[in-house]
Amino acid sequence: MVVAIDGPAGAGKSTVARATARALDFTYLDSGAMYRTAALAYLERGGRPAERAAEIEIELGERVLANGRDVTEAIRRPEVSEAASQIAVEKGVRAALVAKQRELLDRGDWVAEGRDIGTVVAPDAALKIFLTASPEARARRRALELGADWRTVLRDQALRDEQDRSREQSPLRAAADAIELDSTDRAVEDVVGQIVALVRDARRGSLPTPAGPG
Ligand code: CDP
């Protein structure tokens, strides 16, 4: 089965998705790392982003490998984040990476994280979570990770949010059947515990109707 966790940057997706996968003994898929790896290849080699995305061999795991080269740290640089968000607007880039993602998700149990997992990549996912947090909380978390000033991060984040939400191809939005969770004032373990419980319900085929806002 596939558990989809979508949401904006800094909502805690990676931490929550990784911990949920570990708790359930599912495999974790970081789709953002694919956009980042394609963006790095484009920054380094130029040409057309869609060609870079289609040709690149990406291996995800403890380390991220691009054509066998370890790019785990390189893809987290701020200029790569920005380039990832920019090339992610292109239909050809998305088509190439979505195909790679679907191939992986075809077999086995996964927690897949991204922007469009529940809406485009795996619309039949057994459980869809849309994880959010306040912009300030998200910027502070990301600043801690990067050792950067949170106000600067907040500015970059607002730009990337806007790009991700307003793009024509697979804009960032919650699927109609996604359960929205706000992680602003919640501990990671608490959110993970809730998702694990929801997965167990989904497995029993008794998924509760998502609660409305508030
Ligand atoms: O970690 P963070 O949330 O900052 O970003 P990420 O998940 O690594 O994704 C980097 C960029 O790739 C995002 O800003 C999106 O523009 C793009 N992306 C996407 O378009 N679709 C996905 N499924 C995942 C990432």
Side-chain angles (χ1 to χ4, degrees):
M1 73 183 273
V2 175
V3 176
I5 303 186
D6 292 301
K13 285 191 311 287
S14 302
T15 315
V16 166
R18 223 183 278 272
T20 304
R22 205 177 306 121
L24 293 163
D25 202 21
F26 284 18
T27 312
Y28 164 62
L29 174 66
D30 178 359
S31 66
M34 290 187 166
Y35 287 89
R36 289 170 176 274
T37 303
L40 180 66
Y42 168 68
L43 288 177
E44 289 179 346
R45 312 210 354 248
R48 294 187 34 216
E51 280 169 21
R52 296 289 82 83
E55 76 195 0
I56 198 158
E57 182 96 27
I58 306 171
E59 285 171 71
L60 301 174
E62 283 300 303
R63 314 291 300 172
V64 179
L65 304 183
N67 297 329
R69 171 183 149 216
D70 191 329
V71 296
T72 314
E73 277 84 32
I75 60 168
R76 300 292 154 193
R77 294 201 304 255
E79 69 269 24
V80 180
S81 305
E82 177 51 29
S85 177
Q86 272 167 15
I87 67 160
V89 306
E90 286 194 26
K91 199 174 182 172
V93 169
R94 305 204 69 84
L97 298 182
V98 167
K100 292 182 204 279
Q101 291 153 19
R102 287 190 179 145
E103 208 174 297
L104 290 168
L105 298 180
D106 197 37
R107 273 177 301 277
D109 292 319
W110 295 85
V111 177
E113 160 208 345
R115 303 288 191 288
D116 61 341
I117 305 295
T119 51
V120 175
V121 178
D124 295 332
L127 178 68
K128 299 178 187 178
I129 302 293
F130 195 78
L131 194 63
T132 61
S134 73
E136 188 180 312
R138 297 196 283 120
R140 285 186 189 277
R141 279 182 195 152
R142 190 45 59 95
L144 262 177
E145 281 169 21
L146 294 169
D149 174 55
W150 77 270
R151 284 168 213 279
T152 311
V153 174
L154 184 65
R155 267 199 306 276
D156 292 354
Q157 175 185 281
L159 181 72
R160 212 142 62 84
D161 278 356
E162 179 53 28
Q163 263 165 205
D164 290 352
R165 288 202 172 99
S166 63
R167 71 183 175 213
E168 210 170 295
Q169 304 293 330
S170 315
L172 169 67
R173 63 175 178 80
D177 52 351
I179 297 175
E180 295 203 28
L181 300 182
D182 186 332
S183 72
T184 306
D185 296 311
R186 298 181 61 186
V188 170
E189 310 80 73
D190 179 32
V191 176
V192 172
Q194 185 179 357
I195 298 175
V196 168
L198 287 165
V199 171
R200 301 219 160 109
D201 287 345
R203 274 185 153 166
R204 281 198 295 267
S206 60
L207 190 60
T209 332

